[in-house]
Amino acid sequence: MDEFGLIDTFVSQFDVAPPPRGPGDDCAVLPKQGPSCVTTDALVEGVHFTRGTFSMPDVGHKALAVNLSDLAAMGARPAWFTVALGLPGWATARDVKKLGGGMARLAKLHRVELIGGNVTRADQLSLTLTLSGALEGPPLLRSGAKPGDALYLSGPVGDAALGLSLLGTNSGASSPLVDAQRRPVPHVAFGRFARRHCSAGIDVSDGLAQDLGHLCRASGVAAELDSAALPMSEALLDAAGSRKAAQPYALRGGEDYVLLVAVRDPPAFERALTRAGFEAWRIGTLRKGSGVNLDGVRLTGRLGFTHR
Ligand SMILES: [Mg+2]
C-alpha cells in the first residue's frame, strides 16, 4: 500500500473535522484559541517498547496516553494533536490500522481531535505526537510549590515498572501490572481539578523520586517522603512479596503517569477532592532546602528512568 493509502487507513478510524481544520490539506487551520499548552513526545520501538511485548493497539494507545499525561500535568483540557509515523519495512496496512485503532479509542474518550500528521519510512517503528490543550486559567507549574506544602499522588506507583520486568521474563504475561505498562491511564480529569486546587504539579513518567526532584528544583524546596504512605496496588504488593520489596518500584520505577501535586491547604484540598469524587494519597511534605528525602534519609544515586 502506498503512503496515501496508509494515511487513509490510519486516519479513517478517528473522528476528524474536514479540511482546513482536519487532515487533508498542507496545514491544519485552527480557529483563534485562548491560552493553550503544547507538548510533544515520541514512542520508539526498541527504546520504549518491543514488538514482542506490545500489540499494535497497545503502541497506539500508549503514544497518545503519555502525551495526554503531560497535558494533565499542566491542568489543560486536551484539544488537538498531530502524529508523525515512522514505519519500518515490516509494517503492513493491517499494523497501521491497529495502531490507529488503539489510538483512536483513547482519542474519542478524551475528545482530542487529530488534525494532521506525516508518514515516513524508518528503521524502527516510531510515533511522534504533538498535542495541544486549552487552559481555563493559570497552568499548574512545577515551580509553584512552597515550603510547608503537602505532597499528594493521584494514584498508586510502581505497577508499570514491575509490569515491565514481568514482560522481560514472559512476553505473554497478563496482569494489572502488565496492563499498567502497556495501557497507562492519563489522569486528565484530575489534572484539571488540580489546576484549581494545587500549587504545583508534575506527572510521574520517570519515577516518583526523579519527578519529585524536578518539582523540588523548579520550586526551590526540599521534599520529605513517608515510605509508609506511598500508595501501592494489591497487585504490586502480591507480585513483589512485601512492601519493602515493592518500594524500589514505587519510588524509582517509571511510567505510572499518575500526577504528583503540592497542596497548600490539605483540609480544604481533601474536602474539594471528596466533592469532586477524586482520590489522592498524601505522601509527604515540602520544606526549605533541596533534595528528596525518604524517612529522613537523602535519596541519592539513580533516582529513576531516563530514556536516551
Ligand atoms: Mg511530564
Side-chain angles (χ1 to χ4, degrees), residues 39 41 66 69-70 73 142 202-206 211 257:
T39 184
D41 210 348
V66 302
S69 181
D70 278 330
R142 298 176 179 188
I202 188 170
D203 69 323
V204 181
S205 52
D206 299 329
D211 290 316
Y257 299 104

Side-chain angles (χ1 to χ4, degrees), residues 146 151 183 211 227 271:
K146 291 215 162 64
L151 289 167
R183 299 266 183 155
D211 290 316
S227 67
R271 283 194 298 275

Side-chain angles (χ1 to χ4, degrees), residues 2 5-6 11 45 60 81 126 179 190 216 226 228 250 276:
D2 70 8
L6 288 174
V11 171
E45 181 190 350
F81 71 110
S126 73
D179 291 345
F190 183 89
C216 286
D226 174 6

